[in-house]
């Protein structure tokens, strides 16, 4: 039988250990190797990325080995919330079978409302899995609405069609705010990952021309770990299920339509996310700043799905950002 060697660990040595401690098998981390360890570089296809590197930079599984575990945990927390606090109202906002939403109501009305757009590579996850975050908003005096919409694979790979559903959902809530107990002057939206992309697309909507709503109907947007210019995404493995055209790439790249943004913007990312997700957040922020529009960039030492999980924590990266944005 062997015995562990006794080690004296001071606060200074612990801080100095840094990432090495996080990689310790004692903490049961699945893996500390990110990206493509041992990869032999090939010809560049976008900037300095070869094809394998670019594909990995748009595939979180190469940077978060425990991604499915976090999803499972959030699904369980969402079920637990419904068990403890009651099921949300299931409402229909459009004619497509998937155009529905879950509305979690706070006790006092009228209240501000946070509209959440889920991620899942534009294909997976749903409103029900997003319910875990509702409790924080409810406890802080805000409604939480989680949108459902069709997987892009059921829309012929057309991101514009999916974005149109999200826009319809937001417009429906805005038009019906009073009957929902929501304050029409305090509508906020947020989205994570591919939902962060759709959130940014929604923020570039011409609400006056397309829906007859005020230009500033959305007062703030929280774009979490999203993608904002689709040129590199188009060159990655994601083109296998997204029907990219030049027109779709341009229309669905919110970084190219910053002039349309009327809401204050908060952009967040995790420092353990892929290098491209980090770059997308920073470049989008810089582009918005260059126009003089209000924007904040906030990073945290989190993996991709952990940034989503933090939305349900008032002290977490995105929970705090949401409450600050809504001024509650």
């Amino acid at each position: 039988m062997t015995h562990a060697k006794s080690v004296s660990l001071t606060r200074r040595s612990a801080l100095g250990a840094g990432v090495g401690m996080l990689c310790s098998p004692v903490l049961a981390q699945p893996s500390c190797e990110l990206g493509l360890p041992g990869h032999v570089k090939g010809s560049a296809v976008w900037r300095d990325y070869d094809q394998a590197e670019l594909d990995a930079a748009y595939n979180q599984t190469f940077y978060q080995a425990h991604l499915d575990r976090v999803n499972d945990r959030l699904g369980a927390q969402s079920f637990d919330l419904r068990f403890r606090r009651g099921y949300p109202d299931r409402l229909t906002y459009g004619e497509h079978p998937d155009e529905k939403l879950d509305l979690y109501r706070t006790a006092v009305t009228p209240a501000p409302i946070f509209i959440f757009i889920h991620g899942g590579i534009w294909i997976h996850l749903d409103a029900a899995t997003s319910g875990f975050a509702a409790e924080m908003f409810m406890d802080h005096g805000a409604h939480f609405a989680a949108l459902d919409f069709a997987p892009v694979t059921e829309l012929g790979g057309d991101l514009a069609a999916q974005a149109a559903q999200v826009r319809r959902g937001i417009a429906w809530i805005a038009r019906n705010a009073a009957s929902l107990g929501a304050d029409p002057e305090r509508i906020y939206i947020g989205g994570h990952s591919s939902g962060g992309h759709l959130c940014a697309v929604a923020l570039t909507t011409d609400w006056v021309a397309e829906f007859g709503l005020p230009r500033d109907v959305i007062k703030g947007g929280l774009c979490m770990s999203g993608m904002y210019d689709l040129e590199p995404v188009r060159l990655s493995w994601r083109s296998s299920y997204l029907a990219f055209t030049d027109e779709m790439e341009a229309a669905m790249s919110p970084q190219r339509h910053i002039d349309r943004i009327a809401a204050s913007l908060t952009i967040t990312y995790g420092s353990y996310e892929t290098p491209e997700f980090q770059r997308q957040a920073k470049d989008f922020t810089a582009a918005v700043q260059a126009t003089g529009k209000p924007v904040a960039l906030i990073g945290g030492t989190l993996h991709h799905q952990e940034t989503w999980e933090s939305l349900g924590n008032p002290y977490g990266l995105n929970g705090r950002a949401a409450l600050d944005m809504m001024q509650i």
Side-chain angles (χ1 to χ4, degrees):
M1 180 175 180
T2 59
H3 298 274
K5 181 180 179 181
S6 176
V7 177
S8 175
L9 186 63
T10 66
R11 180 176 181 272
R12 182 179 298 275
S13 62
L15 292 173
V19 174
M21 288 189 66
L22 295 177
C23 296
S24 169
V26 175
L27 298 184
Q29 295 292 322
S31 174
C32 291
E33 292 187 329
L34 305 180
L36 298 167
H39 171 64
V40 177
K41 193 172 184 65
S43 301
V45 297
W46 190 78
R47 295 193 176 181
D48 190 42
Y49 291 93
D50 67 18
Q51 191 64 61
E53 291 168 337
L54 187 62
D55 288 345
Y58 284 99
N59 187 340
Q60 295 295 340
T61 59
F62 284 90
Y63 287 79
Q64 185 177 359
H66 60 296
L67 184 147
D68 288 340
R69 298 181 192 177
V70 179
N71 287 343
D72 289 346
R73 179 165 67 244
L74 299 186
Q77 291 176 2
S78 297
F79 176 80
D80 177 68
L81 172 66
R82 295 192 291 274
F83 182 77
R84 290 184 295 101
R85 302 285 292 262
Y87 278 74
D89 294 333
R90 185 69 170 166
L91 306 173
T92 299
Y93 67 80
E95 297 181 358
H96 189 281
D98 290 318
E99 292 183 358
K100 301 181 186 297
L101 62 89
D102 288 349
L103 177 62
Y104 297 83
R105 299 176 186 266
T106 191
V108 180
T109 59
I113 186 167
F114 184 87
I115 304 170
F116 180 71
I117 307 160
H118 71 78
I121 67 170
W122 297 286
I123 300 174
H124 305 301
L125 302 176
D126 55 21
T129 312
S130 307
F132 74 91
E135 190 165 26
M136 184 201 75
F137 290 90
M138 296 161 67
D139 289 347
H140 283 79
H143 302 310
F144 181 87
L147 297 181
D148 268 324
F149 40 89
V152 74
T153 48
E154 296 180 11
L155 300 171
D158 186 359
L159 281 176
Q162 191 177 69
Q165 291 185 320
V166 170
R167 285 167 164 152
R168 282 196 292 275
I170 295 169
W172 185 89
I173 290 173
R175 291 189 180 118
N176 293 278
S179 64
L180 297 175
D183 183 347
E185 297 299 321
R186 299 185 70 188
I187 297 173
Y188 302 85
I189 67 173
H192 176 261
S193 192
S194 57
H197 163 259
L198 292 170
C199 175
V201 170
L203 290 168
T204 66
T205 302
D206 186 339
W207 295 106
V208 177
E210 294 186 36
F211 296 97
L213 293 168
R215 180 173 182 269
D216 64 346
V217 63
I218 299 171
K219 296 303 187 285
L222 175 57
C223 298
M224 302 171 264
S225 303
M227 294 157 281
Y228 312 107
D229 192 293
L230 298 186
E231 179 185 357
V233 181
R234 182 179 183 179
L235 295 172
S236 78
W237 71 281
R238 295 187 186 233
S239 62
S240 64
Y241 61 89
L242 295 172
F244 276 112
T245 62
D246 291 344
E247 292 73 22
M248 188 175 87
E249 178 191 323
M252 292 293 103
S253 292
Q255 190 165 317
R256 307 182 195 182
H257 307 288
I258 293 171
D259 59 301
R260 303 176 189 169
I261 297 177
S264 63
L265 185 60
T266 303
I267 301 169
T268 63
Y269 70 96
S271 60
Y272 291 148
E273 295 190 272
T274 82
E276 270 299 278
F277 275 76
Q278 295 185 54
R279 182 198 62 79
Q280 288 263 8
K282 294 171 184 177
D283 283 6
F284 188 36
T285 301
V288 176
Q289 285 177 331
T291 68
K293 294 179 183 288
V295 59
L297 175 67
I298 309 172
T301 52
L302 300 169
H303 291 91
H304 188 66
Q305 294 304 85
E306 291 169 343
T307 65
W308 179 28
E309 185 173 30
S310 74
L311 181 63
N313 181 353
Y315 305 105
L317 170 68
N318 282 307
R320 186 186 295 274
L323 295 178
D324 286 348
M325 177 182 71
M326 300 175 75
Q327 299 180 359
I328 57 177

